[in-house]
Amino acid sequence: MEKLVVIVGPTAVGKTATGIALAKKFHGEIISGDSMQVYKGMDIGTAKVTPQEMEGIPHHLIDIKHPDEAFSVAEFQERAKNCIKVINDKHKLPIIVGGTGLYVNSVIYDYDFSSSDGDDQLRDELERYGKEHGNEALHAKLKEIDPESYSELHPNNTRRVIRALEVYYLTGKTIGNRPKQPDISPYDVVVIGLTMDREALYERINLRVDIMINEGLIEEVRALYDRGIRDCQSVQAIGYKEIYSYLNGDLTKVEAVELLKRNSRRYAKRQLTWFRNKMNITWFDMTKGREKKLEEINKFIEGKMF
C-alpha cells in the first residue's frame, strides 16, 4: 500500500513550513493541495512557496495552469494520484500540503467522479441560458432547489453553479447530498491538522495580508487585470477578487485591503468547520511552541508509518 502524509489547516496557520520540515525529516516530496497555487503568475495572493522556502524539496502541482484556464477537483485528483505513485516508486514520502479540503479528500478517499458524470446537452443548455440572461440569473436558479450552494457560490463562478444545477436536475439531490463516498483510503495515510487560537490566527492572517500588499499584491493583480483576465475561476479567489474591485473603482485601496482581511478570516473559519466535519484528522495546536509541536508530529508519523 502506498504511503501518504497529508497536512491540512486554515490559511496562515503554518502548513507550508511544517510540510517542508517533515519532507526534510522523512525524505519526502510535497504535493500542493491548494486549488489556486496551480496558476502561473498568481504567487503573492496565493501565498505560494518561494524557491528559497522550498529548501531544495521538490514541489508538485504548482504553476501548471494559466489564469484563464479552469481547474477541477477531478483533474487535481488524477494529477495528485499520479504524483503519489511516482514519489512512492522513488521510495520517498509524498506529503500533500494544502487547505482546499474537497481536493485533498478526493485523493485520500479516491472519490469516484464517474458516478456523477454530467449530461452534455443539459450543460450546454445551462451555459446558453447564462450567456443569454447573465450570471446572476443563472445563479438565481439555485435559490429554490439548492439554497446551500446558492449562498456558497459566487454568481461569476459559472462552472460550479452549472455543476450544482446539473447534479440536481440529473439526480434530484443537491450536490452536497449525493451518495457518500467510501471512508476507506487506498493509501497508508496519516492526516495531520494544524490549528491555533482563533485570535492568534486572525492576527497572523491580518499580518499576512499587510505583507502581501508590501510585497506587491496589487501589482500582481493589476498584471492579470491588464491582460484582460475576467470572470475566470482563478480571479474569484480571495486576494484577487477584492483587488479587482479596487481596480474597477468599486472600492478604495483601504477598503479593498480591509475586505481582503475580513474575507480571509471568514475563509479560515469555514476551512476549520469543513475539516472538522468532513475529515478524520489528528490535530496539533500550533499557537505556542511550534518546534516542540513539530517534534510531536514527527513522533506521531514515525509511530504510524515507520
Side-chain angles (χ1 to χ4, degrees), residues 98-200:
T100 308
L102 178 61
Y103 281 51
V104 174
N105 240 16
S106 76
V107 175
I108 294 175
Y109 298 114
D110 197 18
Y111 283 11
D112 180 9
F113 291 104
S114 64
S115 64
S116 56
D117 281 345
D119 179 284
D120 290 340
Q121 183 176 350
L122 173 59
R123 191 179 303 126
D124 288 344
E125 289 176 3
L126 291 170
E127 287 175 353
R128 280 198 300 273
Y129 183 88
K131 288 176 182 176
E132 291 173 6
H133 300 278
N135 294 349
E136 295 280 354
L138 182 68
H139 182 243
K141 281 178 169 287
L142 280 174
K143 193 168 187 179
E144 294 300 324
I145 63 172
D146 188 354
E148 183 177 351
S149 293
Y150 173 80
S151 63
E152 288 179 355
L153 297 178
H154 190 282
N156 289 339
N157 196 347
T158 55
R159 182 184 61 84
R160 289 189 63 194
V161 169
I162 288 172
R163 183 63 183 140
L165 289 166
E166 193 180 15
V167 167
Y168 182 81
Y169 291 144
L170 291 174
T171 68
K173 298 180 183 296
T174 63
I175 199 165
N177 287 319
R178 288 174 296 172
K180 289 188 179 296
Q181 297 285 350
D183 57 3
I184 299 173
S185 177
Y187 300 110
D188 178 9
V189 62
V190 172
V191 184
I192 303 295
L194 307 184
T195 186
M196 65 168 45
D197 172 78
R198 179 173 292 184
E199 289 306 312

Side-chain angles (χ1 to χ4, degrees), residues 7 14-15 17-26 192 194 284-286 288-302:
I7 302 171
K15 297 184 296 293
T18 301
I20 290 167
L22 293 177
K24 291 168 71 176
K25 168 76 174 177
F26 294 108
I192 303 295
L194 307 184
F284 292 85
D285 190 321
M286 309 299 284
K288 296 179 180 177
R290 295 180 74 88
E291 290 301 318
K292 184 178 179 183
K293 290 293 181 180
L294 189 57
E295 290 177 11
E296 292 178 13
I297 294 171
N298 287 341
K299 289 178 181 177
F300 180 77
I301 293 174
E302 284 177 342

